[in-house]
Amino acid sequence: MADPRPIGVFDSGVGGLTVLREILRRSPGESTVYLGDNLRAPYGVRTDDEVLAFSTQSLDALVERDVKALVVACNTSTAVGIGSFRRRYDLPVLGVIRPGASAAALATRNRRVGVIATPATIRSHAYFSAIKDENPAIEVYEHATPTLVPLVEAGDLRGPVAEAAVVEALTPLLGERDADGESIFPRPSGATVDTLLLGCTHYPLLRPLIEAVAGQHVAIVDSATATASALAELLDINGLDATAASIGEAPPATPTHLQLTTGDPERFHDLASRLFGAAFPDVARIELAVLAR
Ligand code: DGL
């Protein structure tokens, strides 16, 4: 039997739209409700308690909208709270760390992977553990890059300011690069990675700049595609597919897509249109109660 209920997708801001975009590509028959907590982003520089409280409140709001599965399209929330979310909701809850870790473990040839993410994600070592679970022989070099999320939330994806910020963020991990993309001595230990995992859903929006800085010998991997595939499989296994019509059943309804933001809907809409084209037109504001800090 088909299940037409939407999938709930959550991020601290617009970064999770990189995951939503892949979900729409992979599962075009599914409806979605996205919630971006733009008012309180960035999460990655907050305490674990704050990340957990804000994420839980946002996910509760999605569950109230009768979603059939939750995608935590935020590495920071996944790193801090995936266990807690799974205990709280009677729904399949998918995070972005395992799919990303698995994609990186499959991509590396020299078994050296660099991970860039927010300070809270790096502090949790969730990627380190997840990559080691995939292949204990892989060396994992983790590096916090707190300046990148504010760039994306401001829509600054190119130009000298964004370029300088990406160079400054990556150099401690990868070293300075010469014209051939080789790291210049003295090289930091992470300079030998052949795979760089973008451990924050905002970072794929800076991918052209990150690729330019990392050079041609480093494969750039993110969790969006792997998460969308894992979701499709999860829906199928759990009989939650919107398009799995059986004989005699009405054809599946046309999917709907709603984006909710705790911030300014007009700003969210403008930013989403600039980042993704016209893909996300239906934006509304959602109020979440103010939590004591
Ligand atoms: N997109 C979130 C992540 O994947 C960004 C975190 C933040 O708001 O700092 O970690």
Side-chain angles (χ1 to χ4, degrees):
M1 226 179 71
D3 188 334
R5 290 176 299 159
I7 296 155
V9 182
F10 159 66
D11 181 44
S12 61
V14 291
L17 294 175
T18 59
V19 179
L20 179 61
R21 181 173 53 177
E22 289 309 315
I23 292 173
L24 302 184
R25 263 191 211 140
R26 183 72 172 72
S27 305
E30 298 295 337
S31 294
T32 62
V33 184
Y34 181 92
L35 196 156
D37 192 6
N38 300 72
L39 193 63
R40 299 184 291 200
Y43 277 16
V45 288
R46 292 182 178 277
T47 64
D48 288 3
D49 285 348
E50 281 178 321
V51 172
L52 193 59
F54 296 167
S55 306
T56 304
Q57 201 183 27
S58 304
L59 291 166
D60 282 357
L62 286 172
V63 171
E64 276 167 24
R65 286 178 156 71
D66 195 25
V67 296
K68 62 184 174 187
L70 287 168
V71 178
V72 185
C74 176
N75 290 269
T76 308
S77 301
T78 304
V80 171
I82 192 76
S84 155
F85 308 145
R86 288 190 172 137
R87 283 191 294 277
R88 186 177 178 87
Y89 306 111
D90 291 333
L91 292 171
V93 183
L94 189 63
V96 279
I97 294 212
R98 293 241 156 235
S102 162
L106 289 173
T108 183
R109 290 286 158 267
N110 72 359
R111 292 179 298 282
R112 293 196 187 102
V113 172
V115 179
I116 52 168
T118 67
T121 301
I122 296 299
R123 189 167 68 225
S124 76
H125 300 300
Y127 267 115
F128 181 90
S129 309
I131 294 171
K132 289 283 187 190
D133 281 351
E134 293 288 328
N135 180 353
I138 295 176
E139 289 170 30
V140 184
Y141 299 92
E142 300 176 289
H143 179 60
T145 45
T147 54
L148 302 187
V149 170
L151 272 185
V152 175
E153 285 290 315
D156 290 337
L157 307 186
R158 51 192 70 83
V161 173
E163 272 172 43
V166 171
V167 170
E168 201 181 322
L170 294 187
T171 300
L173 176 71
L174 301 178
E176 235 176 282
R177 300 279 151 152
D178 65 18
D180 299 324
E182 296 295 340
S183 185
I184 296 170
F185 288 95
R187 301 194 298 192
S189 45
T192 52
V193 304
D194 71 353
T195 301
L196 180 65
L197 175 53
L198 309 186
C200 171
T201 53
H202 282 69
Y203 297 176
L205 292 159
L206 293 166
R207 196 179 181 114
L209 291 185
I210 293 172
E211 272 172 357
V213 174
Q216 54 187 345
H217 305 303
V218 178
I220 310 290
V221 172
D222 67 61
S223 45
T225 314
T227 302
S229 299
L231 175 68
E233 204 174 311
L234 179 153
L235 295 177
D236 188 29
I237 290 168
N238 288 278
L240 294 172
D241 203 313
T243 54
S246 42
I247 299 163
E249 231 181 289
T254 308
T256 59
H257 304 287
L258 169 66
Q259 290 82 56
L260 302 169
T261 174
T262 56
D264 176 0
E266 231 169 89
R267 211 184 113 58
F268 184 99
H269 180 263
D270 285 354
L271 190 52
S273 317
R274 261 177 51 216
L275 301 180
F276 298 96
F280 306 109
D282 196 1
V283 184
R285 186 170 150 74
I286 182 169
E287 295 270 355
L288 299 177
V290 177
L291 295 174
R293 302 248 176 100

